[in-house]
Amino acid sequence: EELLENGSFDEGSSQWIVTEPSRLNFNNGRVNITSGTVASTLKQMLPIKNSASYIIVFNLVRSSATGSVNVKVGSNSGNNFT
């Protein structure tokens, strides 16, 4: 069962919480991040369960010498985690 909505970005930023949207370009099922000094974030609140196992898969094409990708589980709000 896939929990993520619009994980293919086919609907642009729909269903995503976006910080620094001026740095993010959604096009052809991809999101491109332009260079800058402030971090850009894409996140969704997902109904995950404690002690459950999940598989996270994503494709990344690196186009610069620097940058990082983080997957975070935290900030519990009820049964939702970011």
Side-chain angles (χ1 to χ4, degrees), residues 26-47:
F26 296 87
N27 191 18
N28 295 324
R30 295 182 177 200
V31 58
N32 297 306
I33 304 171
T34 61
S35 62
T37 58
V38 178
S40 294
T41 303
L42 293 171
K43 70 178 181 178
Q44 288 189 23
M45 300 294 286
L46 303 175

Side-chain angles (χ1 to χ4, degrees), residues 4-75:
L4 195 64
E5 295 184 42
N6 190 29
S8 63
F9 300 111
D10 288 339
E11 298 174 30
S13 61
S14 175
Q15 304 300 320
W16 290 92
I17 299 167
V18 180
T19 65
E20 295 301 318
S22 63
R23 291 191 53 216
L24 303 177
N25 177 18
F26 296 87
N27 191 18
N28 295 324
R30 295 182 177 200
V31 58
N32 297 306
I33 304 171
T34 61
S35 62
T37 58
V38 178
S40 294
T41 303
L42 293 171
K43 70 178 181 178
Q44 288 189 23
M45 300 294 286
L46 303 175
I48 62 175
K49 299 175 183 171
N50 289 333
S51 302
S53 296
Y54 296 89
I55 297 172
I56 300 170
V57 177
F58 61 91
N59 295 315
L60 173 70
V61 176
R62 185 176 176 164
S63 61
S64 70
T66 62
S68 64
V69 174
N70 299 300
V71 176
K72 180 179 178 182
V73 177
S75 300

